[in-house]
Amino acid sequence: MSKSENNVTPIATRCCAAMERLMEESNHPGIPDWSVECLNRLFSSLADPTRLRIIHALVNNDRLNVTELAEHTGLSVSAISHQLRLLRDRFLLEADREGRAVYYSLADDHVRTLFCIGIEHAYNDCTNSLRREAERNA
């Protein structure tokens, strides 16, 4: 059935071009298991306050070394170092060595966009929820 026949937009076109390609390449409905695992790793990578603070610092500063990240986040160098490795392993950050210093940056604009959309979603939901809770308790 076409969209005009049943007035429903196919899921792939409601998401993005990458989802459309996945649906075309797949022999079954839904997304492939490997893609589910990639999404799981992506979102679990973002489910940590330290990693979110690191990404936030890099959203606001194109590239920082570990000491600068510690200053921007208020966290210790050792707390940041372990998380940087995980974020690099999950392809969310890139590392460039300049002499003895290593500078970190977001891997691409998708990371920035995902973070900013997440902030917007959390701000709207949390703000409204906290406001309602405060009004109930007043």
Side-chain angles (χ1 to χ4, degrees):
M1 283 186 160
S2 71
K3 180 182 174 188
S4 60
E5 290 175 6
N6 65 8
N7 227 9
V8 176
T9 302
I11 291 172
T13 58
R14 285 188 265 163
C15 184
C16 62
M19 177 61 98
E20 196 167 334
R21 285 191 307 273
L22 278 173
M23 298 300 284
E24 288 173 2
E25 294 170 5
S26 178
N27 293 330
H28 58 82
I31 59 176
D33 291 343
W34 65 265
S35 188
V36 170
E37 181 57 29
C38 287
L39 285 169
N40 182 50
R41 289 180 185 181
L42 170 65
F43 287 113
S44 68
S45 299
L46 299 174
D48 178 84
T50 300
R51 294 191 290 264
L52 288 174
R53 285 183 171 86
I54 291 168
I55 291 172
H56 178 255
L58 291 169
V59 163
N60 292 318
N61 303 275
D62 288 335
R63 55 188 288 245
L64 298 168
N65 64 34
V66 178
T67 303
E68 293 167 335
L69 279 165
E71 291 169 5
H72 282 277
T73 61
L75 300 166
S76 70
V77 170
S78 62
I80 290 174
S81 294
H82 171 72
Q83 303 303 337
L84 288 171
R85 189 174 316 109
L86 186 141
L87 290 167
R88 275 193 344 262
D89 290 348
R90 303 260 173 108
F91 307 106
L92 296 173
L93 296 185
E94 291 182 345
D96 295 312
R97 182 172 293 280
E98 289 185 14
R100 295 181 62 191
V102 178
Y103 287 89
Y104 297 89
S105 59
L106 299 177
D108 57 41
D109 283 336
H110 294 115
V111 179
R112 180 184 314 277
T113 300
L114 185 60
F115 181 81
C116 291
I117 289 171
I119 288 288
E120 187 173 321
H121 181 76
Y123 175 80
N124 291 331
D125 287 354
C126 291
T127 300
N128 291 333
S129 176
L130 291 172
R131 187 180 301 127
R132 283 192 299 270
E133 186 177 320
E135 289 170 355
R136 277 196 304 267
N137 293 331

